[in-house]
Amino acid sequence: MIQSPTPRRARPTRLRTRVLTAAALVAASALALTACAPSTGGDAFASGDTFKVVLLGAYSTPPDPDVNYDGPGLNIIQNTYEGLVAYEDGSTTATIVPKLATDWTVSDDSLTYTFDLRKGVTFHDGTDFTADAVIASFARRTSVDAGPAYMVGDVTGVTAIDDYTVEVTLAAPNSAFLDYLASPFGVKMISPTVLSEQAGDDFAQTYLTDADAGTGPYELGSVTTGQSYQLTAYDKYWGDKPEFTTVDLTLSENASAVQLQLERGEIDAVLGDVNKTSFEDYSSNADLDASTFANFTTQTVFMNPQSAIFTTTENRAALFSAIDTKTILESSMGELEVPTTQLFPAGMLDESLDSQGVEYDPNALASLAASGIAAGKTIRIGYAGSSPDGKAVADELGANLSSAGLPAESISYGAGTIYGLADDLAAAPDIVVMSVFPDAAHVDAWARILYTPKGGLDVMAAEVPGLTDDLDAALLASDNEPYGAIAKKVIDSKYWYSIGSLQTTTITRSGLTGIDDARNLLEYNVLHFAALGNA
């Protein structure tokens, strides 16, 4: 049995740790690629059974599933480790499916989850997967107490009924619990043998810096931290065997050089954001496949509650109706972003519960200008400086405002700076445009981090009175109705406006199969390599 020392709702700093790095991924990994030159590549992949991938951007977090809390690391963790459940790959809806648990039941009081475990599974060190591994893995997450630890914050006990049945007990009903287990950042099963033999004084964190102890289709081979990682197929994997026996992952911030490597056939894929122009250029190259996949990453407009211009709910509402979302996104993002009418990530809830009810009014900008709200002032629109999607939308919005007689400028902020704007709202911009994504496909995983000041991603410190209590109560409910009331409170405040759903972008050489089955709605620019094949 394990005891969690800190309940989930008391862990805002943990949320900030992950969201800061993950949102920085959406920003920092987004490097614009230059236009494609004529390809000299052929049909074959770079090295036969080896799949060579470049990740654009930097990554230095250890590939330890209880420590890693950013996006690039998921390309290692999601291929080497597995949890009890997962979100279904290749699906545009967040469906929870079995993984190392084949089935599960929930007690009538919603406090006890009983999992039937998959038989015939071994860890990469040869240890059998049994209930003991589940107990050790939950305990280790609590002991390490890093960013993702809040996901087991309500767990009071993990008990083996027999070798292949385990019970997990919660302190209180939590409708988000299965979603947290299915999350890419959820509890992964780790070999209890490794955790014991390599424990050291840090619960095996040192060992898992450059090694793995999972059950996934790949195991971690050679590592040059922050530069390259090699994955090799695990020959005793319980599921379908990968077609690519080796995956070489290399990190690079030189997008132009990476593009040339791809065109020359030296690498097979590039993962990372590209801008509209570059994506269209890639799409026109017959030797390359440029594709997108639905994702919960949502571009959001944050309003400064201390703005000297947008001082009332009414003029914030007028601004929202003046934003021609469809035209702005078509012009700046093309097919890389889909306009949304929902407050929460599109598809998380039925639209009837969280429709923002904003209708574009082509006369609204002129009316705002005539009202004199910005007389003698310049509307400042902030965005994360390394994010091409944020810059593109901020620039386009600023141009629209200025052309209507509302002087505006877009301002670039470094990743560290943009998270400190709430410390001095008087000096902060009037508006921030930023893309964010949730830990899990549950409203609590979105609303708590975005709409509460202690959540970690409420970058302008706007507040809806009583919202935290409402969210706590909603976790006890058996349906989604309470989230409709929560959405209405947030929408009525006019401090936030969701404008578009970003798409995962993947650029590969032609001939790759299984690409959609290798992608997941909850993972941004990540591939599950075992699903891939070479046509």
Side-chain angles (χ1 to χ4, degrees), residues 127-215:
T127 300
D128 289 334
F129 169 65
T130 66
D132 288 342
V134 180
I135 295 170
S137 297
F138 271 79
R140 199 253 181 177
R141 174 151 295 200
T142 300
S143 297
V144 170
D145 198 29
Y150 82 89
M151 294 182 177
V152 297
D154 287 335
V155 173
T156 59
V158 183
T159 306
I161 304 304
D162 56 43
D163 281 351
Y164 293 99
T165 311
V166 67
E167 282 186 352
V168 179
T169 305
L170 306 184
N174 185 336
S175 62
F177 183 63
L178 273 179
D179 283 276
Y180 282 130
L181 292 186
S183 164
F185 302 101
V187 179
K188 299 296 187 288
M189 298 298 104
I190 305 175
S191 167
T193 303
V194 168
L195 293 182
S196 174
E197 293 180 353
Q198 303 294 336
D201 59 2
D202 62 359
F203 308 104
Q205 289 183 71
T206 298
Y207 177 80
L208 293 180
T209 296
D210 54 11
D212 86 272
T215 63

Side-chain angles (χ1 to χ4, degrees), residues 104-279:
W104 56 90
T105 57
V106 184
S107 63
D108 290 342
D109 61 7
S110 298
L111 295 178
T112 302
Y113 290 71
T114 303
F115 294 93
D116 297 331
L117 305 182
R118 190 176 299 279
K119 298 178 181 178
V121 177
T122 60
F123 290 94
H124 297 158
D125 68 337
T127 300
D128 289 334
F129 169 65
T130 66
D132 288 342
V134 180
I135 295 170
S137 297
F138 271 79
R140 199 253 181 177
R141 174 151 295 200
T142 300
S143 297
V144 170
D145 198 29
Y150 82 89
M151 294 182 177
V152 297
D154 287 335
V155 173
T156 59
V158 183
T159 306
I161 304 304
D162 56 43
D163 281 351
Y164 293 99
T165 311
V166 67
E167 282 186 352
V168 179
T169 305
L170 306 184
N174 185 336
S175 62
F177 183 63
L178 273 179
D179 283 276
Y180 282 130
L181 292 186
S183 164
F185 302 101
V187 179
K188 299 296 187 288
M189 298 298 104
I190 305 175
S191 167
T193 303
V194 168
L195 293 182
S196 174
E197 293 180 353
Q198 303 294 336
D201 59 2
D202 62 359
F203 308 104
Q205 289 183 71
T206 298
Y207 177 80
L208 293 180
T209 296
D210 54 11
D212 86 272
T215 63
Y218 287 94
E219 51 188 325
L220 188 59
S222 62
V223 172
T224 303
T225 300
Q227 298 180 36
S228 64
Y229 300 82
Q230 185 177 81
L231 306 179
T232 58
Y234 178 47
D235 58 8
K236 295 182 180 178
Y237 182 57
W238 61 268
D240 294 337
K241 303 300 187 289
E243 183 170 329
F244 291 107
T245 57
T246 304
V247 178
D248 287 337
L249 296 169
T250 304
L251 280 73
S252 176
E253 298 190 52
N254 189 334
S256 297
V258 169
Q259 178 182 318
L260 291 174
Q261 287 180 287
L262 185 62
E263 291 170 348
R264 290 195 297 255
E266 296 169 358
I267 60 174
D268 302 313
V270 176
L271 297 178
D273 281 355
V274 298
N275 62 24
K276 175 189 173 185
T277 300
S278 298
F279 185 81

